[in-house]
Amino acid sequence: MALTMEKMTAMLIGHAMADAIGVPVEFSKRAHLKKNPVTGILEYGTYHQPAGTWSDDTSLSIAAMESISRLGKIDYADIMKNFVEWYEHDKFTANDVIFDVGNTTAQAIENFMLGITPLECGPTNESTSGNGSLMRIFPVAAYLYLKRGNNFDADAMQTVHNFSRITHGSYSCQMSCGVYSLIAAEIFDGQDLKKAILSGINKAKNFYGNLREFEEAAQRLARIFDANFANLPEEEISSRGYVIASLESALWCLLNTDNYKDLVLKAVNLGGDTDTIGAIAGGLAGAFYGLEEIPAEWLSALKKKSYLEKIAADFYKVGERND
């Protein structure tokens, strides 16, 4: 099997849908959500946005997708120009306004506006290891798969790392994006979801095990590499914005559910960075379960759904181009 246009569309819609489910309750405490769980589409809440509104997680993903679709390749400077259009002119947004900008992402975009080369824009300190590149990494995983299949060698992984570095340069961010991308490729191949996750994690363990520069990041990701990771109790899963915590949360939810709806609700009801953890998990779930598994009442409320479908269709065509 391979990455079809239907799967690509489901990945973007699945990402945006989960993002939108999480937006109204971002920063909510888990204890509060235990008593008042999210069960479907909500409106207003944290950012006072209408129901079905997705955030920067989706905006920056489609900003990257638009650039890749238009050029037929990854051009980091052009992607950053699209990020500037989002940051300064509200482009690529659900309601023509931005309402959630991560500090590290904002710093990186402002660095680019000052003339810093794209691959040097993202801060590299571990203290800046938020989830802002992980939340928009799926387009590069999909692009690489469309161009080369499930052959993520050192050159492909460097592209993944570079795609992180334009906003988030720490090794923890780069490696988290690498783990996600290797898992995504296994899902594109048509593997069972849980097997795809475990296979991708195993490939990541083998790849990063020989790279000294990633040694500390690998230690921070050690729980994901543990065979008992899926069996961790919920209270040991942190749903904050730290990139490794967000990756852990998303993968843990995927491993402990068996359908799109339950996956998204489980991710969002962890509390904390609800929209981003939902989006990270929701994109992978969308690619695996397909559009038909996303509740119709959710899809009917999703902002700019036809626009997202066009972005996905245009992006998919890049795999057919040879320029």
Side-chain angles (χ1 to χ4, degrees), residues 17 20 41 50-53 295-305:
M17 190 76 258
I41 287 278
T53 300
E297 64 270 24
W298 292 10
L299 289 173
S300 66
L302 184 64
K303 296 297 182 184
K304 294 187 178 178
K305 179 172 174 285

Side-chain angles (χ1 to χ4, degrees), residues 7-172:
K7 193 176 289 188
M8 187 69 247
T9 301
M11 189 172 208
L12 175 55
I13 297 293
H15 181 283
M17 190 76 258
D19 180 3
I21 295 287
V23 162
V25 292
E26 187 175 9
F27 307 128
S28 294
K29 299 293 186 183
R30 190 175 302 178
H32 170 76
L33 292 174
K34 287 289 186 186
K35 297 178 180 178
N36 306 277
V38 175
T39 59
I41 287 278
L42 299 175
E43 58 183 355
Y44 303 115
T46 303
Y47 297 103
H48 203 68
Q49 295 295 313
T53 300
W54 30 271
S55 74
D56 56 327
D57 305 61
T58 302
S59 291
L60 292 174
S61 297
I62 62 178
M65 293 173 77
E66 190 280 334
S67 172
I68 295 169
S69 301
R70 175 167 37 83
L71 299 179
K73 63 180 181 179
I74 292 175
D75 182 308
Y76 304 113
D78 193 76
I79 291 168
M80 287 298 284
K81 288 176 183 176
N82 271 1
F83 288 1
V84 171
E85 287 296 303
W86 165 77
Y87 187 63
E88 290 209 312
H89 304 295
D90 303 316
K91 196 172 180 182
F92 310 110
T93 56
N95 297 314
D96 302 316
V97 61
I98 62 171
F99 56 86
D100 184 16
V101 183
N103 292 333
T104 303
T105 297
Q107 181 182 343
I109 293 172
E110 289 171 7
N111 284 343
F112 179 74
M113 293 166 67
L114 290 172
I116 295 175
T117 185
L119 295 183
E120 302 300 324
C121 284
T124 59
N125 294 332
E126 182 64 20
S127 62
T128 61
S129 295
N131 54 25
S133 62
L134 181 61
M135 74 187 191
R136 57 161 180 80
I137 198 63
F138 80 85
V140 77
Y143 170 82
L144 289 169
Y145 189 93
L146 286 170
K147 287 297 187 182
R148 61 197 300 155
N150 193 355
N151 178 28
F152 281 46
D153 59 12
D155 287 340
M157 294 301 287
Q158 187 60 57
T159 301
V160 172
H161 298 155
N162 288 345
F163 207 71
S164 177
R165 286 173 58 197
I166 60 176
T167 59
H168 291 70
S170 79
Y171 286 119
S172 290

Side-chain angles (χ1 to χ4, degrees), residues 110-285:
E110 289 171 7
N111 284 343
F112 179 74
M113 293 166 67
L114 290 172
I116 295 175
T117 185
L119 295 183
E120 302 300 324
C121 284
T124 59
N125 294 332
E126 182 64 20
S127 62
T128 61
S129 295
N131 54 25
S133 62
L134 181 61
M135 74 187 191
R136 57 161 180 80
I137 198 63
F138 80 85
V140 77
Y143 170 82
L144 289 169
Y145 189 93
L146 286 170
K147 287 297 187 182
R148 61 197 300 155
N150 193 355
N151 178 28
F152 281 46
D153 59 12
D155 287 340
M157 294 301 287
Q158 187 60 57
T159 301
V160 172
H161 298 155
N162 288 345
F163 207 71
S164 177
R165 286 173 58 197
I166 60 176
T167 59
H168 291 70
S170 79
Y171 286 119
S172 290
C173 289
Q174 293 183 49
M175 187 170 174
S176 294
C177 288
V179 171
Y180 177 104
S181 298
L182 290 168
I183 290 170
E186 298 299 303
I187 292 174
F188 298 154
D189 259 3
Q191 282 206 59
D192 171 79
L193 180 59
K194 292 177 175 59
K195 289 182 179 178
I197 293 171
L198 296 176
S199 179
I201 287 172
N202 187 56
K203 285 188 174 182
K205 187 175 182 179
N206 291 334
F207 177 78
Y208 289 105
N210 297 318
L211 299 178
R212 178 169 293 182
E213 64 268 33
F214 284 97
E215 186 174 351
E216 291 185 10
Q219 292 173 359
R220 298 185 186 103
L221 278 153
R223 292 210 309 177
I224 290 173
F225 297 135
D226 190 286
N228 294 314
F229 171 70
N231 298 321
L232 289 174
E234 184 181 283
E235 56 266 25
E236 292 189 25
I237 300 299
S238 172
S239 51
R240 58 198 174 103
Y242 175 49
V243 66
I244 293 174
S246 296
L247 180 62
E248 284 186 350
S249 295
L251 295 180
W252 183 84
C253 289
L254 285 160
L255 288 166
N256 284 284
T257 53
D258 60 8
N259 62 82
Y260 180 87
K261 180 179 180 180
D262 287 350
L263 171 278
V264 172
L265 295 179
K266 194 173 192 69
V268 168
N269 283 311
L270 288 177
D273 203 349
T274 52
D275 58 332
T276 302
I277 292 169
I280 294 165
L284 293 173

Side-chain angles (χ1 to χ4, degrees), residues 278-298:
I280 294 165
L284 293 173
F288 179 75
Y289 292 115
L291 273 178
E292 62 275 11
E293 291 297 319
I294 303 177
E297 64 270 24
W298 292 10

